[in-house]
Amino acid sequence: MNKLFTKIKTMVRIFSTIILIITFIYSCAASEDMSYQRGMQSMEDGRYLTAKSYFDDALVQNPASPELYFQRGNAKLMMEDYHSAIDDYSRSIVLDSSSAKYFINRGLAHISLTNYNDALFDYNEALKTDSNDAQIYFDRAYAYEMLTEYDTALSDYSTAISFDSTKSKYFVNRGNLNSFLGKSGEAISDFTKAILLNPDDKIAYQGRGDEYAMMGEYEDAIHDFSKAIEFELEDMNVYYARAEAKLGMEEFLSAAVDYTIIISMDSSDATAYYNRGICYANLDLKNSACADFVKAGELGLFEAYEILKEYCKAENEKGKKKK
């Protein structure tokens, strides 16, 4: 193999792409209050500021309702006003500490602020009320993971799955953590189960593709990366991953196509020019290779100039000797 191939620049991947999917807990309580009903309708329509205004009006009429504070907290959470949302959830808890949902959503607000220990407190309180709720274990697992308590996080993900094995996101998160911990077999198993539950799960395909690539199973990796791309055509990271897998199979032309797609999305990506240049060099497309190395250098990837000296200058010298 051409020694230039060994100079390919790989993209740094974050194998633990943690997915915290907020599952909002809305109330099922009925209310005849018009402001409350309009607030709930506004929440469903995604008009969160309007919803907050309606809940404000409802609270004027009923300032001791934990449900109204809870719903206003939800509106604030969706507007990313996390501190204020926590205040409202706390009011709900003061008025009624027996409802798990108040603790759960306050925990989500704490997660959003990276207050993971506070989130753990809330999830533990919620579990005192409902110890069979898979979502609580899933959310708590995420908090443990962010605190680098990985074994405990894995245990909570597994508990969530034991209570509800129909959620692909539970397997995806456990798969990502297994991947991060170097447990490729377990990670592939989790991603595969996630895909069986949700064949449109882009993250599961990408995660499994990463594992296959690390194991040298490049054909399987390319398949999974291609599936992931079908669901999100403009994710450059997946194109990079697929290109690297193709390079593992010495499919230089096909890899060059992926780098060309990346360049079409971001013409200032020096690494894509550099790597495409390596592909062209391995295909003996010298002019194209050297042009890409020049462009990569101009964009700030200065080691490309070393390749220019080593490869392009050498080729020029060969041409001069032939003349």
Side-chain angles (χ1 to χ4, degrees), residues 13-17 172 175-176 178-180 184 187-192 195 201-215 220-221 224-225 228 238 241:
R13 297 195 206 115
I14 300 173
F15 292 109
S16 186
T17 308
V172 168
N176 281 326
N178 275 322
S179 174
F180 178 76
S184 290
I188 288 173
S189 176
D190 280 338
F191 292 134
T192 300
I195 290 166
D201 195 322
K202 179 247 185 187
I203 295 169
Y205 279 110
Q206 185 175 352
R208 192 173 68 175
D210 284 335
E211 295 306 309
Y212 282 138
M214 286 191 295
M215 296 169 64
D220 289 332
D224 279 354
F225 292 140
V238 187

PDB file of all heavy atoms in Angstrom, residues 13-17 172 175-176 178-180 184 187-192 195 201-215 220-221 224-225 228 238 241:
ATOM      1  N   ARG A  13     -13.802  10.876  17.303  1.00  0.00           N
ATOM      2  CA  ARG A  13     -15.219  10.622  17.508  1.00  0.00           C
ATOM      3  C   ARG A  13     -15.525  10.512  18.987  1.00  0.00           C
ATOM      4  O   ARG A  13     -14.729   9.993  19.758  1.00  0.00           O
ATOM      5  CB  ARG A  13     -15.641   9.317  16.822  1.00  0.00           C
ATOM      6  CG  ARG A  13     -15.485   9.361  15.330  1.00  0.00           C
ATOM      7  CD  ARG A  13     -16.235   8.213  14.692  1.00  0.00           C
ATOM      8  NE  ARG A  13     -15.589   7.903  13.423  1.00  0.00           N
ATOM      9  CZ  ARG A  13     -14.975   6.772  13.172  1.00  0.00           C
ATOM     10  NH1 ARG A  13     -14.919   5.841  14.075  1.00  0.00           N
ATOM     11  NH2 ARG A  13     -14.416   6.566  12.001  1.00  0.00           N
ATOM     12  N   ILE A  14     -16.655  10.988  19.365  1.00  0.00           N
ATOM     13  CA  ILE A  14     -17.112  10.818  20.737  1.00  0.00           C
ATOM     14  C   ILE A  14     -17.993   9.584  20.736  1.00  0.00           C
ATOM     15  O   ILE A  14     -19.102   9.593  20.229  1.00  0.00           O
ATOM     16  CB  ILE A  14     -17.902  12.051  21.217  1.00  0.00           C
ATOM     17  CG1 ILE A  14     -17.009  13.292  21.142  1.00  0.00           C
ATOM     18  CG2 ILE A  14     -18.418  11.852  22.628  1.00  0.00           C
ATOM     19  CD1 ILE A  14     -17.733  14.578  21.443  1.00  0.00           C
ATOM     20  N   PHE A  15     -17.463   8.502  21.293  1.00  0.00           N
ATOM     21  CA  PHE A  15     -18.192   7.251  21.207  1.00  0.00           C
ATOM     22  C   PHE A  15     -19.367   7.212  22.171  1.00  0.00           C
ATOM     23  O   PHE A  15     -20.294   6.461  21.979  1.00  0.00           O
ATOM     24  CB  PHE A  15     -17.254   6.078  21.475  1.00  0.00           C
ATOM     25  CG  PHE A  15     -16.247   5.901  20.386  1.00  0.00           C
ATOM     26  CD1 PHE A  15     -14.917   6.194  20.585  1.00  0.00           C
ATOM     27  CD2 PHE A  15     -16.651   5.484  19.137  1.00  0.00           C
ATOM     28  CE1 PHE A  15     -13.998   6.043  19.568  1.00  0.00           C
ATOM     29  CE2 PHE A  15     -15.744   5.335  18.111  1.00  0.00           C
ATOM     30  CZ  PHE A  15     -14.408   5.611  18.329  1.00  0.00           C
ATOM     31  N   SER A  16     -19.302   8.012  23.226  1.00  0.00           N
ATOM     32  CA  SER A  16     -20.431   8.030  24.150  1.00  0.00           C
ATOM     33  C   SER A  16     -21.302   9.231  23.830  1.00  0.00           C
ATOM     34  O   SER A  16     -21.233  10.261  24.463  1.00  0.00           O
ATOM     35  CB  SER A  16     -19.943   8.096  25.597  1.00  0.00           C
ATOM     36  OG  SER A  16     -21.008   7.985  26.484  1.00  0.00           O
ATOM     37  N   THR A  17     -22.082   9.103  22.778  1.00  0.00           N
ATOM     38  CA  THR A  17     -22.995  10.170  22.401  1.00  0.00           C
ATOM     39  C   THR A  17     -24.249   9.993  23.237  1.00  0.00           C
ATOM     40  O   THR A  17     -25.158   9.278  22.870  1.00  0.00           O
ATOM     41  CB  THR A  17     -23.344  10.101  20.910  1.00  0.00           C
ATOM     42  OG1 THR A  17     -22.129  10.054  20.166  1.00  0.00           O
ATOM     43  CG2 THR A  17     -24.160  11.304  20.484  1.00  0.00           C
ATOM     44  N   VAL A 172     -30.036   2.406  23.173  1.00  0.00           N
ATOM     45  CA  VAL A 172     -29.038   3.297  22.572  1.00  0.00           C
ATOM     46  C   VAL A 172     -28.118   3.872  23.640  1.00  0.00           C
ATOM     47  O   VAL A 172     -26.887   3.869  23.498  1.00  0.00           O
ATOM     48  CB  VAL A 172     -29.720   4.434  21.784  1.00  0.00           C
ATOM     49  CG1 VAL A 172     -28.707   5.519  21.419  1.00  0.00           C
ATOM     50  CG2 VAL A 172     -30.361   3.890  20.516  1.00  0.00           C
ATOM     51  N   GLY A 175     -25.946   1.222  24.998  1.00  0.00           N
ATOM     52  CA  GLY A 175     -24.966   0.883  23.975  1.00  0.00           C
ATOM     53  C   GLY A 175     -23.852   1.904  23.898  1.00  0.00           C
ATOM     54  O   GLY A 175     -22.668   1.557  23.778  1.00  0.00           O
ATOM     55  N   ASN A 176     -24.205   3.183  23.968  1.00  0.00           N
ATOM     56  CA  ASN A 176     -23.186   4.234  23.935  1.00  0.00           C
ATOM     57  C   ASN A 176     -22.241   4.123  25.125  1.00  0.00           C
ATOM     58  O   ASN A 176     -21.027   4.307  24.990  1.00  0.00           O
ATOM     59  CB  ASN A 176     -23.854   5.610  23.925  1.00  0.00           C
ATOM     60  CG  ASN A 176     -24.366   5.992  22.558  1.00  0.00           C
ATOM     61  OD1 ASN A 176     -23.776   5.652  21.546  1.00  0.00           O
ATOM     62  ND2 ASN A 176     -25.478   6.709  22.523  1.00  0.00           N
ATOM     63  N   ASN A 178     -21.637   1.348  26.900  1.00  0.00           N
ATOM     64  CA  ASN A 178     -20.819   0.149  26.700  1.00  0.00           C
ATOM     65  C   ASN A 178     -19.693   0.418  25.710  1.00  0.00           C
ATOM     66  O   ASN A 178     -18.562  -0.044  25.887  1.00  0.00           O
ATOM     67  CB  ASN A 178     -21.693  -1.008  26.205  1.00  0.00           C
ATOM     68  CG  ASN A 178     -22.371  -1.754  27.346  1.00  0.00           C
ATOM     69  OD1 ASN A 178     -21.788  -1.955  28.406  1.00  0.00           O
ATOM     70  ND2 ASN A 178     -23.614  -2.165  27.134  1.00  0.00           N
ATOM     71  N   SER A 179     -19.994   1.181  24.664  1.00  0.00           N
ATOM     72  CA  SER A 179     -18.965   1.541  23.686  1.00  0.00           C
ATOM     73  C   SER A 179     -17.864   2.353  24.345  1.00  0.00           C
ATOM     74  O   SER A 179     -16.672   2.094  24.151  1.00  0.00           O
ATOM     75  CB  SER A 179     -19.596   2.334  22.537  1.00  0.00           C
ATOM     76  OG  SER A 179     -18.598   2.811  21.652  1.00  0.00           O
ATOM     77  N   PHE A 180     -18.257   3.343  25.133  1.00  0.00           N
ATOM     78  CA  PHE A 180     -17.298   4.197  25.822  1.00  0.00           C
ATOM     79  C   PHE A 180     -16.397   3.381  26.742  1.00  0.00           C
ATOM     80  O   PHE A 180     -15.206   3.679  26.893  1.00  0.00           O
ATOM     81  CB  PHE A 180     -18.050   5.257  26.625  1.00  0.00           C
ATOM     82  CG  PHE A 180     -17.170   6.174  27.418  1.00  0.00           C
ATOM     83  CD1 PHE A 180     -16.461   7.185  26.800  1.00  0.00           C
ATOM     84  CD2 PHE A 180     -17.046   6.024  28.792  1.00  0.00           C
ATOM     85  CE1 PHE A 180     -15.641   8.038  27.532  1.00  0.00           C
ATOM     86  CE2 PHE A 180     -16.235   6.865  29.532  1.00  0.00           C
ATOM     87  CZ  PHE A 180     -15.529   7.877  28.903  1.00  0.00           C
ATOM     88  N   SER A 184     -17.321  -3.675  23.178  1.00  0.00           N
ATOM     89  CA  SER A 184     -17.875  -3.631  21.823  1.00  0.00           C
ATOM     90  C   SER A 184     -18.988  -4.644  21.607  1.00  0.00           C
ATOM     91  O   SER A 184     -20.001  -4.343  20.967  1.00  0.00           O
ATOM     92  CB  SER A 184     -16.766  -3.854  20.795  1.00  0.00           C
ATOM     93  OG  SER A 184     -15.892  -2.749  20.755  1.00  0.00           O
ATOM     94  N   ALA A 187     -22.073  -3.422  23.246  1.00  0.00           N
ATOM     95  CA  ALA A 187     -22.565  -2.237  22.543  1.00  0.00           C
ATOM     96  C   ALA A 187     -23.282  -2.627  21.258  1.00  0.00           C
ATOM     97  O   ALA A 187     -24.377  -2.128  20.964  1.00  0.00           O
ATOM     98  CB  ALA A 187     -21.407  -1.290  22.237  1.00  0.00           C
ATOM     99  N   ILE A 188     -22.678  -3.515  20.474  1.00  0.00           N
ATOM    100  CA  ILE A 188     -23.303  -3.948  19.220  1.00  0.00           C
ATOM    101  C   ILE A 188     -24.644  -4.615  19.498  1.00  0.00           C
ATOM    102  O   ILE A 188     -25.633  -4.387  18.783  1.00  0.00           O
ATOM    103  CB  ILE A 188     -22.362  -4.891  18.450  1.00  0.00           C
ATOM    104  CG1 ILE A 188     -21.190  -4.092  17.868  1.00  0.00           C
ATOM    105  CG2 ILE A 188     -23.112  -5.618  17.336  1.00  0.00           C
ATOM    106  CD1 ILE A 188     -20.117  -4.939  17.231  1.00  0.00           C
ATOM    107  N   SER A 189     -24.697  -5.421  20.545  1.00  0.00           N
ATOM    108  CA  SER A 189     -25.956  -6.074  20.909  1.00  0.00           C
ATOM    109  C   SER A 189     -27.029  -5.040  21.240  1.00  0.00           C
ATOM    110  O   SER A 189     -28.180  -5.156  20.797  1.00  0.00           O
ATOM    111  CB  SER A 189     -25.736  -7.002  22.107  1.00  0.00           C
ATOM    112  OG  SER A 189     -26.955  -7.574  22.535  1.00  0.00           O
ATOM    113  N   ASP A 190     -26.654  -4.009  22.004  1.00  0.00           N
ATOM    114  CA  ASP A 190     -27.624  -2.971  22.369  1.00  0.00           C
ATOM    115  C   ASP A 190     -28.093  -2.188  21.147  1.00  0.00           C
ATOM    116  O   ASP A 190     -29.292  -1.915  20.991  1.00  0.00           O
ATOM    117  CB  ASP A 190     -27.007  -2.009  23.391  1.00  0.00           C
ATOM    118  CG  ASP A 190     -27.039  -2.565  24.807  1.00  0.00           C
ATOM    119  OD1 ASP A 190     -27.868  -3.447  25.083  1.00  0.00           O
ATOM    120  OD2 ASP A 190     -26.232  -2.110  25.642  1.00  0.00           O
ATOM    121  N   PHE A 191     -27.158  -1.802  20.290  1.00  0.00           N
ATOM    122  CA  PHE A 191     -27.543  -1.032  19.100  1.00  0.00           C
ATOM    123  C   PHE A 191     -28.430  -1.874  18.180  1.00  0.00           C
ATOM    124  O   PHE A 191     -29.374  -1.358  17.573  1.00  0.00           O
ATOM    125  CB  PHE A 191     -26.302  -0.554  18.348  1.00  0.00           C
ATOM    126  CG  PHE A 191     -25.499   0.482  19.094  1.00  0.00           C
ATOM    127  CD1 PHE A 191     -24.115   0.377  19.184  1.00  0.00           C
ATOM    128  CD2 PHE A 191     -26.120   1.562  19.703  1.00  0.00           C
ATOM    129  CE1 PHE A 191     -23.369   1.330  19.862  1.00  0.00           C
ATOM    130  CE2 PHE A 191     -25.384   2.522  20.395  1.00  0.00           C
ATOM    131  CZ  PHE A 191     -24.003   2.404  20.473  1.00  0.00           C
ATOM    132  N   THR A 192     -28.133  -3.160  18.086  1.00  0.00           N
ATOM    133  CA  THR A 192     -28.945  -4.039  17.242  1.00  0.00           C
ATOM    134  C   THR A 192     -30.371  -4.135  17.775  1.00  0.00           C
ATOM    135  O   THR A 192     -31.344  -4.080  17.006  1.00  0.00           O
ATOM    136  CB  THR A 192     -28.307  -5.437  17.158  1.00  0.00           C
ATOM    137  OG1 THR A 192     -26.996  -5.323  16.584  1.00  0.00           O
ATOM    138  CG2 THR A 192     -29.145  -6.372  16.303  1.00  0.00           C
ATOM    139  N   ILE A 195     -32.227  -0.987  16.944  1.00  0.00           N
ATOM    140  CA  ILE A 195     -32.624  -0.939  15.534  1.00  0.00           C
ATOM    141  C   ILE A 195     -33.837  -1.828  15.282  1.00  0.00           C
ATOM    142  O   ILE A 195     -34.735  -1.474  14.511  1.00  0.00           O
ATOM    143  CB  ILE A 195     -31.439  -1.344  14.638  1.00  0.00           C
ATOM    144  CG1 ILE A 195     -30.363  -0.247  14.679  1.00  0.00           C
ATOM    145  CG2 ILE A 195     -31.890  -1.601  13.204  1.00  0.00           C
ATOM    146  CD1 ILE A 195     -29.026  -0.665  14.107  1.00  0.00           C
ATOM    147  N   ASP A 201     -33.741   4.481  13.656  1.00  0.00           N
ATOM    148  CA  ASP A 201     -32.897   5.085  14.692  1.00  0.00           C
ATOM    149  C   ASP A 201     -31.504   5.348  14.138  1.00  0.00           C
ATOM    150  O   ASP A 201     -30.641   4.471  14.109  1.00  0.00           O
ATOM    151  CB  ASP A 201     -32.823   4.173  15.919  1.00  0.00           C
ATOM    152  CG  ASP A 201     -32.282   4.898  17.141  1.00  0.00           C
ATOM    153  OD1 ASP A 201     -31.361   5.721  16.980  1.00  0.00           O
ATOM    154  OD2 ASP A 201     -32.785   4.645  18.249  1.00  0.00           O
ATOM    155  N   LYS A 202     -31.284   6.563  13.697  1.00  0.00           N
ATOM    156  CA  LYS A 202     -30.013   6.946  13.083  1.00  0.00           C
ATOM    157  C   LYS A 202     -28.842   6.781  14.043  1.00  0.00           C
ATOM    158  O   LYS A 202     -27.762   6.314  13.668  1.00  0.00           O
ATOM    159  CB  LYS A 202     -30.114   8.393  12.609  1.00  0.00           C
ATOM    160  CG  LYS A 202     -28.842   8.938  11.977  1.00  0.00           C
ATOM    161  CD  LYS A 202     -28.218  10.021  12.814  1.00  0.00           C
ATOM    162  CE  LYS A 202     -27.027  10.652  12.131  1.00  0.00           C
ATOM    163  NZ  LYS A 202     -26.306  11.600  13.002  1.00  0.00           N
ATOM    164  N   ILE A 203     -29.043   7.147  15.299  1.00  0.00           N
ATOM    165  CA  ILE A 203     -27.952   7.090  16.271  1.00  0.00           C
ATOM    166  C   ILE A 203     -27.518   5.651  16.519  1.00  0.00           C
ATOM    167  O   ILE A 203     -26.334   5.363  16.700  1.00  0.00           O
ATOM    168  CB  ILE A 203     -28.376   7.779  17.576  1.00  0.00           C
ATOM    169  CG1 ILE A 203     -28.610   9.270  17.323  1.00  0.00           C
ATOM    170  CG2 ILE A 203     -27.319   7.606  18.660  1.00  0.00           C
ATOM    171  CD1 ILE A 203     -29.267   9.994  18.465  1.00  0.00           C
ATOM    172  N   ALA A 204     -28.482   4.724  16.511  1.00  0.00           N
ATOM    173  CA  ALA A 204     -28.145   3.319  16.722  1.00  0.00           C
ATOM    174  C   ALA A 204     -27.300   2.787  15.567  1.00  0.00           C
ATOM    175  O   ALA A 204     -26.319   2.064  15.781  1.00  0.00           O
ATOM    176  CB  ALA A 204     -29.416   2.492  16.885  1.00  0.00           C
ATOM    177  N   TYR A 205     -27.677   3.141  14.337  1.00  0.00           N
ATOM    178  CA  TYR A 205     -26.875   2.713  13.188  1.00  0.00           C
ATOM    179  C   TYR A 205     -25.467   3.304  13.257  1.00  0.00           C
ATOM    180  O   TYR A 205     -24.473   2.617  13.002  1.00  0.00           O
ATOM    181  CB  TYR A 205     -27.543   3.143  11.884  1.00  0.00           C
ATOM    182  CG  TYR A 205     -28.657   2.226  11.424  1.00  0.00           C
ATOM    183  CD1 TYR A 205     -29.984   2.641  11.457  1.00  0.00           C
ATOM    184  CD2 TYR A 205     -28.376   0.945  10.955  1.00  0.00           C
ATOM    185  CE1 TYR A 205     -31.007   1.800  11.034  1.00  0.00           C
ATOM    186  CE2 TYR A 205     -29.389   0.097  10.530  1.00  0.00           C
ATOM    187  CZ  TYR A 205     -30.703   0.530  10.572  1.00  0.00           C
ATOM    188  OH  TYR A 205     -31.707  -0.309  10.156  1.00  0.00           O
ATOM    189  N   GLN A 206     -25.388   4.578  13.606  1.00  0.00           N
ATOM    190  CA  GLN A 206     -24.077   5.222  13.673  1.00  0.00           C
ATOM    191  C   GLN A 206     -23.217   4.594  14.767  1.00  0.00           C
ATOM    192  O   GLN A 206     -22.020   4.333  14.566  1.00  0.00           O
ATOM    193  CB  GLN A 206     -24.249   6.719  13.936  1.00  0.00           C
ATOM    194  CG  GLN A 206     -22.946   7.500  13.892  1.00  0.00           C
ATOM    195  CD  GLN A 206     -23.174   9.001  14.033  1.00  0.00           C
ATOM    196  OE1 GLN A 206     -24.318   9.475  14.022  1.00  0.00           O
ATOM    197  NE2 GLN A 206     -22.103   9.753  14.168  1.00  0.00           N
ATOM    198  N   GLY A 207     -23.825   4.344  15.922  1.00  0.00           N
ATOM    199  CA  GLY A 207     -23.074   3.734  17.018  1.00  0.00           C
ATOM    200  C   GLY A 207     -22.586   2.340  16.672  1.00  0.00           C
ATOM    201  O   GLY A 207     -21.437   1.982  16.948  1.00  0.00           O
ATOM    202  N   ARG A 208     -23.464   1.548  16.054  1.00  0.00           N
ATOM    203  CA  ARG A 208     -23.048   0.192  15.678  1.00  0.00           C
ATOM    204  C   ARG A 208     -21.978   0.244  14.596  1.00  0.00           C
ATOM    205  O   ARG A 208     -21.031  -0.558  14.601  1.00  0.00           O
ATOM    206  CB  ARG A 208     -24.254  -0.625  15.216  1.00  0.00           C
ATOM    207  CG  ARG A 208     -23.949  -2.114  15.085  1.00  0.00           C
ATOM    208  CD  ARG A 208     -25.190  -2.930  14.784  1.00  0.00           C
ATOM    209  NE  ARG A 208     -25.726  -2.663  13.448  1.00  0.00           N
ATOM    210  CZ  ARG A 208     -26.751  -3.328  12.911  1.00  0.00           C
ATOM    211  NH1 ARG A 208     -27.362  -4.276  13.606  1.00  0.00           N
ATOM    212  NH2 ARG A 208     -27.189  -3.034  11.700  1.00  0.00           N
ATOM    213  N   GLY A 209     -22.108   1.203  13.674  1.00  0.00           N
ATOM    214  CA  GLY A 209     -21.092   1.361  12.643  1.00  0.00           C
ATOM    215  C   GLY A 209     -19.733   1.683  13.234  1.00  0.00           C
ATOM    216  O   GLY A 209     -18.700   1.162  12.788  1.00  0.00           O
ATOM    217  N   ASP A 210     -19.711   2.545  14.250  1.00  0.00           N
ATOM    218  CA  ASP A 210     -18.448   2.868  14.926  1.00  0.00           C
ATOM    219  C   ASP A 210     -17.805   1.617  15.515  1.00  0.00           C
ATOM    220  O   ASP A 210     -16.582   1.424  15.428  1.00  0.00           O
ATOM    221  CB  ASP A 210     -18.691   3.891  16.040  1.00  0.00           C
ATOM    222  CG  ASP A 210     -18.899   5.301  15.519  1.00  0.00           C
ATOM    223  OD1 ASP A 210     -18.415   5.604  14.416  1.00  0.00           O
ATOM    224  OD2 ASP A 210     -19.543   6.103  16.221  1.00  0.00           O
ATOM    225  N   GLU A 211     -18.642   0.776  16.129  1.00  0.00           N
ATOM    226  CA  GLU A 211     -18.099  -0.447  16.735  1.00  0.00           C
ATOM    227  C   GLU A 211     -17.542  -1.384  15.670  1.00  0.00           C
ATOM    228  O   GLU A 211     -16.448  -1.940  15.824  1.00  0.00           O
ATOM    229  CB  GLU A 211     -19.190  -1.159  17.547  1.00  0.00           C
ATOM    230  CG  GLU A 211     -19.680  -0.381  18.745  1.00  0.00           C
ATOM    231  CD  GLU A 211     -18.564   0.046  19.670  1.00  0.00           C
ATOM    232  OE1 GLU A 211     -17.743  -0.810  20.069  1.00  0.00           O
ATOM    233  OE2 GLU A 211     -18.496   1.247  19.988  1.00  0.00           O
ATOM    234  N   TYR A 212     -18.291  -1.563  14.588  1.00  0.00           N
ATOM    235  CA  TYR A 212     -17.800  -2.432  13.514  1.00  0.00           C
ATOM    236  C   TYR A 212     -16.480  -1.901  12.946  1.00  0.00           C
ATOM    237  O   TYR A 212     -15.558  -2.676  12.657  1.00  0.00           O
ATOM    238  CB  TYR A 212     -18.839  -2.523  12.399  1.00  0.00           C
ATOM    239  CG  TYR A 212     -20.001  -3.449  12.689  1.00  0.00           C
ATOM    240  CD1 TYR A 212     -21.311  -3.087  12.357  1.00  0.00           C
ATOM    241  CD2 TYR A 212     -19.800  -4.699  13.271  1.00  0.00           C
ATOM    242  CE1 TYR A 212     -22.376  -3.936  12.605  1.00  0.00           C
ATOM    243  CE2 TYR A 212     -20.867  -5.556  13.531  1.00  0.00           C
ATOM    244  CZ  TYR A 212     -22.153  -5.168  13.193  1.00  0.00           C
ATOM    245  OH  TYR A 212     -23.208  -6.011  13.438  1.00  0.00           O
ATOM    246  N   ALA A 213     -16.398  -0.585  12.781  1.00  0.00           N
ATOM    247  CA  ALA A 213     -15.176   0.004  12.223  1.00  0.00           C
ATOM    248  C   ALA A 213     -13.984  -0.249  13.139  1.00  0.00           C
ATOM    249  O   ALA A 213     -12.888  -0.589  12.673  1.00  0.00           O
ATOM    250  CB  ALA A 213     -15.374   1.501  11.998  1.00  0.00           C
ATOM    251  N   MET A 214     -14.182  -0.094  14.442  1.00  0.00           N
ATOM    252  CA  MET A 214     -13.085  -0.323  15.382  1.00  0.00           C
ATOM    253  C   MET A 214     -12.639  -1.783  15.383  1.00  0.00           C
ATOM    254  O   MET A 214     -11.479  -2.088  15.650  1.00  0.00           O
ATOM    255  CB  MET A 214     -13.506   0.102  16.792  1.00  0.00           C
ATOM    256  CG  MET A 214     -13.566   1.603  16.983  1.00  0.00           C
ATOM    257  SD  MET A 214     -13.754   2.076  18.718  1.00  0.00           S
ATOM    258  CE  MET A 214     -15.373   1.422  19.083  1.00  0.00           C
ATOM    259  N   MET A 215     -13.575  -2.680  15.060  1.00  0.00           N
ATOM    260  CA  MET A 215     -13.251  -4.103  15.022  1.00  0.00           C
ATOM    261  C   MET A 215     -12.692  -4.530  13.665  1.00  0.00           C
ATOM    262  O   MET A 215     -12.354  -5.696  13.471  1.00  0.00           O
ATOM    263  CB  MET A 215     -14.510  -4.918  15.344  1.00  0.00           C
ATOM    264  CG  MET A 215     -15.039  -4.703  16.757  1.00  0.00           C
ATOM    265  SD  MET A 215     -16.686  -5.436  16.999  1.00  0.00           S
ATOM    266  CE  MET A 215     -16.310  -7.174  16.779  1.00  0.00           C
ATOM    267  N   ASP A 220     -19.514  -4.065   7.181  1.00  0.00           N
ATOM    268  CA  ASP A 220     -20.680  -3.861   8.044  1.00  0.00           C
ATOM    269  C   ASP A 220     -20.753  -2.404   8.505  1.00  0.00           C
ATOM    270  O   ASP A 220     -21.848  -1.829   8.606  1.00  0.00           O
ATOM    271  CB  ASP A 220     -20.607  -4.781   9.263  1.00  0.00           C
ATOM    272  CG  ASP A 220     -20.853  -6.238   8.901  1.00  0.00           C
ATOM    273  OD1 ASP A 220     -21.561  -6.493   7.910  1.00  0.00           O
ATOM    274  OD2 ASP A 220     -20.318  -7.119   9.603  1.00  0.00           O
ATOM    275  N   ALA A 221     -19.591  -1.822   8.784  1.00  0.00           N
ATOM    276  CA  ALA A 221     -19.560  -0.423   9.216  1.00  0.00           C
ATOM    277  C   ALA A 221     -20.095   0.490   8.118  1.00  0.00           C
ATOM    278  O   ALA A 221     -20.907   1.390   8.378  1.00  0.00           O
ATOM    279  CB  ALA A 221     -18.140  -0.018   9.591  1.00  0.00           C
ATOM    280  N   ASP A 224     -23.849   0.373   7.929  1.00  0.00           N
ATOM    281  CA  ASP A 224     -24.536   1.104   8.993  1.00  0.00           C
ATOM    282  C   ASP A 224     -24.392   2.614   8.826  1.00  0.00           C
ATOM    283  O   ASP A 224     -25.343   3.369   9.061  1.00  0.00           O
ATOM    284  CB  ASP A 224     -24.003   0.668  10.359  1.00  0.00           C
ATOM    285  CG  ASP A 224     -24.641  -0.631  10.833  1.00  0.00           C
ATOM    286  OD1 ASP A 224     -25.565  -1.134  10.158  1.00  0.00           O
ATOM    287  OD2 ASP A 224     -24.226  -1.151  11.888  1.00  0.00           O
ATOM    288  N   PHE A 225     -23.209   3.066   8.429  1.00  0.00           N
ATOM    289  CA  PHE A 225     -23.035   4.506   8.211  1.00  0.00           C
ATOM    290  C   PHE A 225     -23.928   4.990   7.059  1.00  0.00           C
ATOM    291  O   PHE A 225     -24.489   6.088   7.119  1.00  0.00           O
ATOM    292  CB  PHE A 225     -21.574   4.837   7.918  1.00  0.00           C
ATOM    293  CG  PHE A 225     -20.651   4.625   9.097  1.00  0.00           C
ATOM    294  CD1 PHE A 225     -19.387   4.074   8.923  1.00  0.00           C
ATOM    295  CD2 PHE A 225     -21.042   4.972  10.381  1.00  0.00           C
ATOM    296  CE1 PHE A 225     -18.537   3.878  10.000  1.00  0.00           C
ATOM    297  CE2 PHE A 225     -20.199   4.777  11.476  1.00  0.00           C
ATOM    298  CZ  PHE A 225     -18.945   4.225  11.276  1.00  0.00           C
ATOM    299  N   ALA A 228     -27.346   5.401   8.390  1.00  0.00           N
ATOM    300  CA  ALA A 228     -27.425   6.614   9.208  1.00  0.00           C
ATOM    301  C   ALA A 228     -27.531   7.852   8.326  1.00  0.00           C
ATOM    302  O   ALA A 228     -28.286   8.784   8.628  1.00  0.00           O
ATOM    303  CB  ALA A 228     -26.207   6.712  10.125  1.00  0.00           C
ATOM    304  N   VAL A 238     -20.763  11.510  10.007  1.00  0.00           N
ATOM    305  CA  VAL A 238     -21.027  10.162   9.502  1.00  0.00           C
ATOM    306  C   VAL A 238     -20.323   9.953   8.161  1.00  0.00           C
ATOM    307  O   VAL A 238     -19.820   8.861   7.879  1.00  0.00           O
ATOM    308  CB  VAL A 238     -22.540   9.904   9.372  1.00  0.00           C
ATOM    309  CG1 VAL A 238     -22.794   8.439   9.016  1.00  0.00           C
ATOM    310  CG2 VAL A 238     -23.257  10.230  10.676  1.00  0.00           C
ATOM    311  N   ALA A 241     -16.858   9.142   9.031  1.00  0.00           N
ATOM    312  CA  ALA A 241     -16.744   7.770   9.530  1.00  0.00           C
ATOM    313  C   ALA A 241     -16.825   6.769   8.385  1.00  0.00           C
ATOM    314  O   ALA A 241     -16.064   5.791   8.338  1.00  0.00           O
ATOM    315  CB  ALA A 241     -17.851   7.508  10.554  1.00  0.00           C
TER     316      ALA A 241
END
